């Protein structure tokens, strides 16, 4: 039997936010590969091998998936949210590029999921209702100076912004730097929302102004949304108008 690889997004956390397409492919799989907490979300069953690995070994994981598929296995690589957003889909193609030419014939499909910023935006209201960008604040795979440049230019261009991987124990100071840049570029009154564990029972949503924001409001389970100059509150909701006047 010929093998395949699917790179699937499990959504932000809640089971009913997993797409039917992803559910169906998990039923057909012989192997599931991914970061430990994401693999844990897949119920074990006979005939399914779960390969849970630690973080930061994305390309090893992807290579393993391609090896298994070459041997006829049906492999699902799981990511949280959407697999194309700071996640395993790009890692799979990196492994494909570095692997043997025969792998190019592998049956590969990427199955989308609801990414954290969109799940968070929906809970908050509509803060990403106009032009926006997404920035990964981790400097694991790019220099911090580039992150600073992108923050500054995105703010100057008037984008609302979503930040992934905002603050980890390994780099607690960088997010303070990011806040400083944002205050310089956007002023003290700009709205910033911290959305933690979106869609999970532990979900926390908090919207403050940049002058009130502190680094401790963010961790690696938080996605952050900074509004544009027009983003405002209406009752309990935060939204960005569609029109720029
Ligand atoms: N592929 C994922 C993102 C992986 S990067 C996606 O599309 O959502 C990991 C970062 O995603 C975390 O540091 C956090 O910023 C964000 N994130 C993922 N799930 C989240 C959730 N349920 N609530 C808040 N942020 C989340």
């Amino acid at each position: 039997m010929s093998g395949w690889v699917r790179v699937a997004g499990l959504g932000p956390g809640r089971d009913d936010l997993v797409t039917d397409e992803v559910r169906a492919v998990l039923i057909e799989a012989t192997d599931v590969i991914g970061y430990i907490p994401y693999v844990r979300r897949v119920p074990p069953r006979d005939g399914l091998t779960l390969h849970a690995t630690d973080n930061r070994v994305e390309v090893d994981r992807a290579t393993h998936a391609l090896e298994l598929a070459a041997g006829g296995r049906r492999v699902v690589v799981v990511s949280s949210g959407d697999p194309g957003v700071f996640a395993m889909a790009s890692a799979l193609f990196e492994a494909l590029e570095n692997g043997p030419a025969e792998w190019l014939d592998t049956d590969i499909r990427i199955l989308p999921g609801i990414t954290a910023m969109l799940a968070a935006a929906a809970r908050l209201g509509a803060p990403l209702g106009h032009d926006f960008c997404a920035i990964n604040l981790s400097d694991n795979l790019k220099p911090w100076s580039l992150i600073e440049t992108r923050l500054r230019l995105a703010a100057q261009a008037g984008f609302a912004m979503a930040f992934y991987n905002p603050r980890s124990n390994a780099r607690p100071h960088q997010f303070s730097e990011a806040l400083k840049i944002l205050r310089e570029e956007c002023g003290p009154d700009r709205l910033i929302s911290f959305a933690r564990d979106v869609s999970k029972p532990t979900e926390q949503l908090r919207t403050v102004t940049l002058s009130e924001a502190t680094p401790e409001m963010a961790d690696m389970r938080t996605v952050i949304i900074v509004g544009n100059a027009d983003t405002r509150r209406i009752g309990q909701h935060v939204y960005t108008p569609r029109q720029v006047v």
Side-chain angles (χ1 to χ4, degrees):
M1 190 176 349
S2 56
W4 45 248
V5 178
R6 305 287 179 257
V7 190
L10 296 177
R14 219 172 65 205
D15 274 350
D16 61 353
L17 297 181
V18 179
T19 67
D20 287 349
E21 177 182 51
V22 168
R23 256 180 237 293
V25 93
L26 286 169
I27 291 170
E28 289 174 47
T30 58
D31 298 81
V32 170
I33 297 186
Y35 179 38
I36 301 157
Y38 308 152
V39 171
R40 209 176 282 142
R41 285 173 55 189
V42 178
R45 60 170 162 79
D46 286 347
L48 179 67
T49 309
L50 299 175
H51 309 262
T53 50
D54 206 348
N55 219 348
R56 295 205 191 187
V57 288
E58 287 94 350
V59 176
D60 295 349
R61 222 185 262 151
T63 304
H64 188 202
L66 289 162
E67 282 165 359
L68 288 170
R73 313 279 294 177
R74 300 187 295 276
V75 187
V76 181
V77 180
V78 288
S79 282
S80 74
D82 182 273
V85 179
F86 310 129
M88 284 303 298
S90 289
L92 187 87
F93 294 117
E94 283 169 41
L96 188 65
E97 214 170 21
N98 294 323
E102 309 86 82
W103 284 4
L104 291 175
D105 295 329
T106 313
D107 173 4
I108 296 172
R109 279 182 57 209
I110 311 302
L111 312 182
I114 298 176
T115 188
M117 73 178 170
L118 298 185
R123 292 289 292 127
L124 291 162
L128 303 179
H130 197 63
D131 299 344
F132 67 91
C133 66
I135 303 179
N136 184 346
L137 293 191
S138 164
D139 67 348
N140 284 344
L141 299 169
K142 65 187 167 191
W144 177 253
S145 60
L146 180 62
I147 297 173
E148 288 193 341
T149 303
R150 288 189 174 160
L151 274 176
R152 223 176 258 290
L153 295 181
Q156 286 172 10
F159 287 115
M161 294 169 255
F163 302 141
Y164 287 75
N165 295 312
R167 181 168 173 265
S168 78
N169 293 336
R171 45 186 178 82
H173 307 300
Q174 290 175 344
F175 184 60
S176 318
E177 280 303 306
L179 281 178
K180 193 165 145 254
I181 291 169
L182 290 169
R183 284 188 199 107
E184 282 168 23
E185 299 294 339
C186 307
D189 298 330
R190 183 69 57 92
L191 293 181
I192 179 169
S193 300
F194 296 85
R196 185 172 197 267
D197 283 354
V198 175
S199 87
K200 301 178 190 176
T202 45
E203 179 181 274
Q204 286 179 319
L205 302 169
R206 176 144 65 161
T207 300
V208 297
T209 62
L210 277 178
S211 64
E212 295 162 338
T214 61
E216 298 70 38
M217 292 178 182
D219 64 8
M220 288 300 270
R221 286 157 63 178
T222 307
V223 65
I224 296 173
I225 295 180
V226 177
N228 73 14
D230 297 320
T231 303
R232 58 190 83 157
R233 296 176 195 262
I234 172 77
Q236 303 288 311
H237 314 287
V238 178
Y239 93 107
T240 301
R242 291 169 301 153
Q243 196 172 5
V244 178
V245 284

